[in-house]
Amino acid sequence: MESSVFVAGGAGFIGSNLCYKLSSQYDKVIVVDNLCRGRKSFLEKLDNLVFIDQDLSQDKSTCQLVEDLQKKYHISEVWHLAANSDIPAGVSDPSIDLRDTFLTTFSLANAFEVKPPENFLFASSSAVYGDMGKN
């Protein structure tokens, strides 16, 4: 079975650049992104891409997707970059962070619990620094 990497949120700026790096290390680069902030065009030069347009905040559908993918591909590594990158939007509407950051993390962890990959990597965001205010 081909070696594969799963990149959640791989159509964003950082995720797509990561995918190009990973594409030389894996037979398949599986990107799952709902394209709310990413662009599929960022990935157009990847020859070994499997792209799925899906919202990963939905636990049941995420579990089903991962189960189906694991039947077809040996996913040895997961990169979780699916999160809200628009910090001001999350401040004005906390449900954005709940859905796009917390629930994607919960759903992915739950989905890969049955058959965990060798590596599960989570990329944090600038949101961890908070608002330092004016100095």
Side-chain angles (χ1 to χ4, degrees), residues 63-95:
C63 288
Q64 186 61 58
L65 172 67
V66 168
E67 182 181 330
D68 294 344
L69 287 170
Q70 287 181 323
K71 289 176 184 172
K72 189 171 184 181
Y73 304 103
H74 171 68
I75 300 171
S76 58
E77 190 165 277
V78 173
W79 284 83
H80 173 23
L81 287 84
N84 174 36
S85 59
D86 185 349
I87 305 309
V91 170
S92 66
D93 181 1
S95 69

Side-chain angles (χ1 to χ4, degrees), residues 5-8 75-80 108 112 117 119-122:
V5 60
F6 181 105
V7 183
I75 300 171
S76 58
E77 190 165 277
V78 173
W79 284 83
H80 173 23
L108 284 168
F112 281 100
N119 295 300
F120 190 108
L121 303 125
F122 174 74

Side-chain angles (χ1 to χ4, degrees), residues 115-132:
K115 187 177 176 188
E118 292 146 31
N119 295 300
F120 190 108
L121 303 125
F122 174 74
S124 185
S125 72
S126 62
V128 300
Y129 299 107
D131 182 2
M132 300 302 290

Side-chain angles (χ1 to χ4, degrees), residues 1-5 26-28 50 72-76:
M1 192 177 280
E2 295 177 317
S3 67
S4 303
V5 60
Y26 290 93
D27 297 314
K28 295 290 181 197
V50 174
K72 189 171 184 181
Y73 304 103
H74 171 68
I75 300 171
S76 58

